[in-house]
Amino acid sequence: MLYPRVSLYALMLAAAGIPLYIHLPRFASVELGIGLGTIATILLLIRLIDLVQDPLIGWAVDRWPRAQALFAMAAAGGLAVGFPLLFRSRSGPHVVTELVAVLVLLFSAYSLGMILLYGRSATLAKRPEKAELMTVAAFREGGMLAGVILAAVAPAVFLGLGFGAGGYPAFGLFLGAIALLAAIVTLPIWRRPVVQGTSLSLAGLGQAGALRLLALALVNSLPVAITSTLFLFFVEDRLKLTGMGGPLLIAFFLSAGLSVPVWTKLSQRLGAKPTLLIAMPLAIAGFVGAAFLAPGNAMGFALVCLASGAALGADMVILPAMFSVVLTRAGLKASAAFGIWSFAGKLGLAIAAFAVLPLLERSGFNPGAANSAAALTTLNLAYAVAPCLLKLAALALVLTLPNEESTQ
């Protein structure tokens, strides 16, 4: 039951991540009436907190290894409390302040859980060897993708069942219940003996090849960050596919989930670098296809979701596994390193939100309302063209990876 419990904890975190990165912008703008520029500023503020917080969380997890069960339960508890508070209807002069306070709690709990889950890869593996680390990664990312699918469809289900406010208040309670269940069921895995490495240093990260992977992780996170932030806007306002956001998200993440075993086996046979060089052009093709879709073309965008979802599956399983392998081989403390890794990914989300949301607001884009051709063109460029260029930059970085580092 070790690896299935890893999957369940990952499911909880992924189910938490989707509303924070995909549902939050639309919920805050449509249900709470907060402007896109203000939402972007809030997300940037949270990222500035993470700039200090994530590395400190990683340091704390390594500093007190015997407290990993306490850390794991604290992360789940924060999510269990925070989500019902996040998605409740509110109004008045303090709505932004209340939203920021709840988001600080949620992002802190989410960061703690993610850093613990990824930083303890060697502890959660049956043996701290490459094959077992890849197996842990496959179970972890499989659970992540299951949680993503669950979170993608849940608001639409609650709305269909007659719950008000877009189904979001019920969604918040649902996520809180998942966090409580995961805390209870997964407690045994956090009582395993901790596999500790040596102290982390910049020189050690550089010698292990981890700094190059961190740079790649940051650049590679930007395309997904942009499309995640704008996904519901693109579906509802650009393609005019009202009510199709949930099913299309399911198609996207189901494709990612089904592709994980394929990418895992391919990377074991060919190596991580060649596998990424196969997957990344698939993502680029998806971005190009999205840019030329006509409004109402649900089938065309479904194909885009399937292609880009499959490419995401490779990113999710291969890059963290590469990072974990180089850290384990170098004998470095992984939690502190994954604190930096976590920050790199979330910095990408902050950059994306702060770059594209104010741009859309200046173009006159108004979610859920009639928009001008210029505003929709801006949305199209932001959602499809910019991520395509950024993915090309990530592909160039992969080409610079030495083969021996990427296959270790």
Side-chain angles (χ1 to χ4, degrees):
M1 284 295 292
L2 172 61
Y3 291 157
R5 285 190 169 104
V6 172
S7 293
L8 178 59
Y9 201 84
L11 181 152
M12 173 196 72
L13 291 171
I18 285 299
L20 290 176
Y21 298 132
I22 292 182
H23 293 297
L24 176 62
R26 191 169 187 88
F27 169 77
S29 60
V30 176
E31 301 295 336
L32 301 184
I34 300 175
L36 293 179
T38 302
I39 296 170
T41 302
I42 291 172
L43 291 175
L44 180 63
L45 173 64
I46 300 296
R47 294 287 76 80
L48 291 175
I49 294 173
D50 286 339
L51 175 64
V52 178
Q53 176 177 263
D54 281 12
L56 284 177
I57 289 174
W59 172 83
V61 169
D62 281 332
R63 174 65 179 80
W64 292 287
R66 294 183 181 179
Q68 67 177 11
L70 178 62
F71 287 135
M73 296 305 102
L79 297 177
V81 171
F83 275 114
L85 294 176
L86 175 66
F87 286 122
R88 71 178 182 86
S89 298
R90 56 172 67 84
S91 60
H94 303 297
V95 62
V96 172
T97 303
E98 291 176 11
L99 182 63
V100 169
V102 174
L103 286 175
V104 169
L105 169 64
L106 281 171
F107 275 99
S108 299
Y110 179 76
S111 292
L112 177 56
M114 289 291 285
I115 291 167
L116 190 65
L117 182 65
Y118 281 85
R120 286 289 184 257
S121 293
T123 297
L124 298 175
K126 293 179 181 177
R127 295 175 299 279
E129 301 169 357
K130 179 184 174 183
E132 289 296 332
L133 288 171
M134 290 299 294
T135 301
V136 168
F139 271 88
R140 182 183 62 219
E141 302 312 324
M144 284 278 179
L145 291 163
V148 160
I149 293 169
L150 188 65
V153 70
V157 170
F158 288 123
L159 181 62
L161 291 174
F163 290 90
Y168 285 112
F171 183 39
L173 292 171
F174 175 66
L175 292 172
I178 289 176
L180 286 176
L181 175 65
I184 295 169
V185 175
T186 64
L187 183 57
I189 68 174
W190 303 113
R191 290 174 172 164
R192 290 172 57 81
V194 179
V195 177
Q196 281 278 81
T198 58
S199 297
L200 197 66
S201 68
L202 193 62
L205 286 174
Q207 291 172 2
L211 289 179
R212 185 181 286 110
L213 291 175
L214 281 167
L216 173 59
L218 175 59
V219 175
N220 195 57
S221 72
L222 292 172
V224 177
I226 292 174
T227 54
S228 297
T229 301
L230 301 181
F231 183 87
L232 293 179
F233 298 146
F234 190 80
V235 172
E236 299 278 347
D237 300 292
R238 159 70 171 80
L239 296 180
K240 309 297 183 185
L241 298 174
T242 304
M244 291 291 292
L248 288 167
L249 273 175
I250 292 172
F252 175 77
F253 288 114
L254 186 60
S255 176
L258 293 175
S259 74
V260 164
V262 177
W263 296 123
T264 301
K265 290 182 180 179
L266 199 60
S267 67
Q268 290 172 343
R269 178 173 297 181
L270 302 179
K273 177 180 176 179
T275 304
L276 288 174
L277 292 177
I278 295 171
M280 285 186 167
L282 191 60
I284 293 169
F287 295 135
V288 172
F292 292 99
L293 289 176
N297 192 345
M299 182 59 69
F301 192 62
L303 292 175
V304 168
C305 288
L306 292 175
S308 53
L312 176 66
D315 290 345
M316 290 181 68
V317 72
I318 293 174
L319 289 176
M322 290 170 66
F323 195 63
S324 181
V325 166
V326 298
L327 292 174
T328 301
R329 285 184 177 274
L332 299 174
K333 290 185 175 180
S335 294
F338 269 104
I340 302 170
W341 180 274
S342 173
F343 170 71
K346 288 192 288 186
L347 178 61
L349 285 160
I351 293 172
F354 199 70
V356 300
L357 292 180
L359 179 65
L360 287 177
E361 190 171 52
R362 285 194 296 270
S363 74
F365 177 73
N366 189 14
N371 286 285
S372 67
L376 294 177
T377 297
T378 302
L379 176 59
N380 195 54
L381 291 172
Y383 180 85
V385 178
C388 182
L389 298 176
L390 290 166
K391 198 69 176 183
L392 285 169
L395 180 61
L397 286 176
V398 172
L399 288 170
T400 68
L401 291 175
N403 290 329
E404 64 272 15
E405 278 193 28
S406 59
T407 57
Q408 281 183 342

